[in-house]
Amino acid sequence: MAAGAPGRRTAAAVRRGRTPWALLVPALIGLAFLVLPFAGLLIRTPWGDLLPLLSSAEVRGALWLSLGTATAATAVSLLFGVPLAWLIARTEFPGRRAVRALVTVPLVIPPVVGGVALLLVLGRSGLLGRHLYEWTGFSLPFTTAAVVVAQVFVAMPFLVISVEGALRGADRRYEEAAATLGASRWTAFRRVTLPMAAPGVVAGAVLAWARALGEFGATITFAGNFPGTTQTMPLAVYLAMQESPEQAVVLSLVLLLVSLAVLVALRDRWVGTP
């Protein structure tokens, strides 16, 4: 009786290890639902005309504008997002939870709403924009700078959340040791805290860059769709679908490849290894 017990436990473990069909079938359907559109994109890509389409002036203009504005938006996000993440993660002040909630709002609202909000604040008649226009004669909306602003608005929360998590996971004892050796809080942050949180900063910067590259709603609302000035790749895809579907497919393929590259780069941190 005792000798048979291990065998029964092994059989039970094997049965528990089997995937139930009630879960496997909907899981496979869900996977197919997510993968098939990308397969369709690859199948419909005009591979023979790929290089001519990529070398067209419209595609090159949208590509370089997207790369440039996404990089600028990431730099701005780093400049302001890292200190903001440190403030949320390492300091206690009234309303800290409310501040953290406000930081995550751009993640959940429709980007078009963000574009409208930016117009109401930074537009020529906006709360701040009208003063900027009166003092300098400069109107921010529908300029390349407006593209960067819209991208920062939607992308910086990704960086803040990533860096905040890295700061919370960093061992504070090293900072305390630096303080006992006479290091100021700024020196401790620069030479101790920031290096420990560097993986989170890099991951957040890559996520912010990818999100900025794919931004559509806030950009078209706040910056418009002017070729060579504000027409980024997602906007070019939208326009090309009406005029040149082949060009839209090529642009979509480029964005897909960039997204896959981001996932591969962040695999160890966000997805995990088998």
Side-chain angles (χ1 to χ4, degrees):
M1 186 69 178
R8 287 196 298 270
R9 286 197 297 268
T10 302
V14 171
R15 286 195 296 271
R16 286 196 300 267
R18 295 173 182 171
T19 304
W21 285 103
L23 297 178
L24 181 60
V25 172
L28 293 177
I29 293 174
L31 178 63
F33 176 77
L34 296 175
V35 172
L36 283 177
F38 299 130
L41 180 64
L42 294 174
I43 292 172
R44 296 297 299 273
T45 297
W47 297 103
D49 300 328
L50 187 63
L51 290 179
L53 288 172
L54 282 176
S55 60
S56 66
E58 295 82 2
V59 173
R60 284 189 288 108
L63 176 61
W64 287 114
L65 180 65
S66 293
L67 294 176
T69 55
T71 302
T74 303
V76 174
S77 297
L78 284 167
L79 178 64
F80 297 106
V82 172
L84 179 56
W86 176 86
L87 183 70
I88 297 173
R90 290 300 178 87
T91 60
E92 295 289 342
F93 58 90
R96 184 166 67 102
R97 291 184 179 180
V99 170
R100 191 180 192 280
L102 290 173
V103 168
T104 59
V105 166
L107 297 176
V108 296
I109 64 171
V112 174
V113 176
V116 172
L118 289 172
L119 274 176
L120 294 177
V121 174
L122 299 175
R124 183 177 296 187
S125 301
L127 297 176
L128 300 177
R130 67 171 178 265
H131 299 297
L132 177 65
Y133 183 72
E134 290 171 359
W135 296 338
T136 66
F138 174 71
S139 179
L140 180 60
F142 310 112
T143 63
T144 303
V147 176
V148 177
V149 170
Q151 291 175 342
V152 170
F153 181 79
V154 300
M156 189 165 65
F158 287 90
L159 183 134
V160 173
I161 291 175
S162 176
V163 177
E164 181 197 356
L167 289 173
R168 290 185 182 277
D171 194 340
R172 294 195 180 191
R173 291 177 296 179
Y174 294 103
E175 299 174 35
E176 295 169 356
T180 60
L181 295 174
S184 65
R185 201 166 188 182
W186 164 245
T187 301
F189 170 78
R190 182 169 51 89
R191 304 192 65 175
V192 178
T193 308
L194 195 57
M196 288 192 298
V201 175
V202 173
V206 174
L207 286 173
W209 187 83
R211 179 64 185 88
L213 188 70
E215 165 51 30
F216 176 84
T219 302
I220 198 171
T221 307
F222 184 59
N225 186 15
F226 301 103
T229 304
T230 65
Q231 188 180 92
T232 57
M233 290 179 65
L235 272 62
V237 171
Y238 176 77
L239 186 63
M241 281 299 297
Q242 307 172 39
E243 300 178 355
S244 176
E246 294 82 8
Q247 196 174 79
V249 171
V250 170
L251 282 169
S252 300
L253 179 64
V254 172
L255 289 174
L256 174 61
L257 293 177
V258 170
S259 300
L260 289 175
V262 170
L263 289 177
V264 171
L266 296 180
R267 183 174 181 270
D268 290 341
R269 179 171 180 81
W270 295 102
V271 181
T273 54

